[in-house]
Amino acid sequence: MLRQVLAELEKAETPMSVTALSRKLGIEQNMLEMMLEYWVRQGRLQDNKQFISSPEAACSKGGCGSACHGPQNCSFIAKIPRAFTLKEN
């Protein structure tokens, strides 16, 4: 199954989200994330989360005004889905 995950990403022309890959392969998202993290550790995949700035850097509690409830509940911060691509050698 690990090789199937890698093969699917090799065929993809753009980064694939965990949700899309999970649906395509019929694998539970939690299990798929563990497989993807294995390939990241092996140096075969790149996780896009390293390119997303942290919400804490974009928003600090109270920074948006008195109604701000912190970055985890901020409506001004987009939630970008985690995606993976092949790592260039």
Side-chain angles (χ1 to χ4, degrees):
M1 187 55 81
L2 277 169
R3 293 202 184 276
Q4 208 175 359
V5 169
L6 191 60
E8 201 58 48
L9 287 166
E10 287 173 342
K11 289 189 284 184
E13 295 179 14
T14 59
M16 287 190 78
S17 71
V18 174
T19 304
L21 192 56
S22 172
R23 278 191 211 125
K24 186 162 189 158
L25 296 173
I27 302 172
E28 206 175 299
Q29 280 191 8
N30 291 339
M31 181 63 73
L32 179 60
E33 284 184 357
M34 287 189 280
M35 292 179 192
L36 293 166
E37 287 168 8
Y38 167 82
W39 287 119
V40 170
R41 287 191 307 274
Q42 297 301 312
R44 299 291 305 269
L45 294 181
Q46 187 169 309
D47 186 345
N48 77 341
K49 76 177 178 181
Q50 65 187 334
F51 301 110
I52 301 170
S53 65
S54 72
E56 290 76 16
C59 178
S60 61
K61 191 169 183 171
C64 301
S66 60
C68 184
H69 298 289
Q72 64 276 11
N73 297 316
C74 184
S75 60
F76 297 107
I77 297 176
K79 307 292 189 263
I80 299 172
R82 193 171 178 193
F84 293 83
T85 54
L86 288 176
K87 194 168 186 180
E88 294 181 23
N89 295 330

